[in-house]
Amino acid sequence: MGCPVVLIQLNEIRRSAFQTDLRELQNVQVEMTMTIVTGPDSNRLLARLLNVVGVAEMAPKLERVRLKTGQILHDAGVSMSHVYFATDALISLLQVMQCGEVTETALVGNDGMVGSELMMGADLTPSRAVVQCDGFAYRLSIESFSSYLQRSVRARELVLAQARALMVQTAQTVACNRHHT
């Protein structure tokens, strides 16, 4: 049989250590929330357009919007009201077939924009744009966007380069879908 005095002392040591641990835990924050605000320069294309067009002119017309996964920014075959420059969101461009089937043809992140096809004279959107990952974007009305492109050759060149990159991505997606599925 064990010595009762030793057991009592051992229990007191355990209780004291537990109380110390409990006091330390009460002083620790378990969850920390941090919000990072992304500015217009968080989108590489938009940052370059701001430099070309002028921050003082363009920035007041930009609207920062929160995008939620599954949100449809525009459907196929409609007139767009805004172009979007994602900062930390991801947006899928989807081709909708007549039978209702849908295929992702491109993904737009913080290096491009949704709506570059408008600079090529398109009145209606060829694809559906759906948010794949929550985040933020800056949107600009079609009227303002068109005005900037009409006035600045360099702005048109930047958007045209992005549209070309999007076409290359689409071609790669088509090739991968053909050969890997």
Side-chain angles (χ1 to χ4, degrees):
M1 192 163 175
C3 179
V5 175
V6 173
L7 287 176
I8 290 172
Q9 287 177 341
L10 184 56
N11 285 338
E12 286 176 3
I13 291 170
R14 286 181 182 154
R15 189 177 322 114
S16 174
F18 174 77
Q19 289 172 345
T20 301
D21 288 345
L22 187 58
R23 279 193 301 273
E24 288 176 6
L25 282 174
Q26 289 171 343
N27 293 328
V28 174
Q29 259 187 334
V30 176
E31 186 176 321
M32 192 168 89
T33 304
M34 185 167 76
T35 302
I36 299 173
V37 177
T38 53
D41 61 340
S42 296
N43 179 288
R44 288 184 234 152
L45 176 61
L46 182 54
R48 293 176 78 189
L49 286 171
L50 283 164
N51 286 332
V52 169
V53 172
V55 174
E57 183 178 350
M58 190 176 189
K61 300 202 181 206
L62 292 170
E63 179 186 1
R64 185 171 183 259
V65 293
R66 179 173 197 73
L67 303 178
K68 298 281 189 183
T69 301
Q71 179 181 347
I72 298 174
L73 300 182
H74 65 74
D75 222 328
V78 300
S79 294
M80 287 179 61
S81 59
H82 294 86
V83 293
Y84 290 83
F85 301 90
T87 56
D88 59 354
L90 289 175
I91 303 162
S92 285
L93 299 182
L94 308 171
Q95 196 62 40
V96 182
M97 308 303 286
Q98 284 183 337
C99 65
E101 291 185 17
V102 178
T103 300
E104 182 180 59
T105 56
L107 191 63
V108 177
N110 69 347
D111 56 347
M113 66 177 286
V114 173
S116 59
E117 65 272 13
L118 297 174
M119 74 156 298
M120 294 181 245
D123 291 331
L124 303 177
T125 60
S127 59
R128 176 185 295 162
V130 178
V131 178
Q132 284 298 327
C133 294
D134 286 356
F136 289 91
Y138 284 85
R139 72 181 191 175
L140 181 64
S141 73
I142 293 299
E143 295 78 23
S144 294
F145 179 68
S146 297
S147 172
Y148 297 139
L149 293 183
Q150 288 171 2
R151 290 182 288 164
S152 172
V153 171
R154 183 66 185 132
R156 281 194 306 272
E157 290 172 348
L158 289 171
V159 174
L160 187 58
Q162 193 276 331
R164 278 193 303 267
L166 197 59
M167 286 192 284
V168 169
Q169 185 186 95
T170 301
Q172 182 66 43
T173 300
V174 168
C176 286
N177 284 341
R178 167 64 178 91
H179 293 286
H180 301 298
T181 55

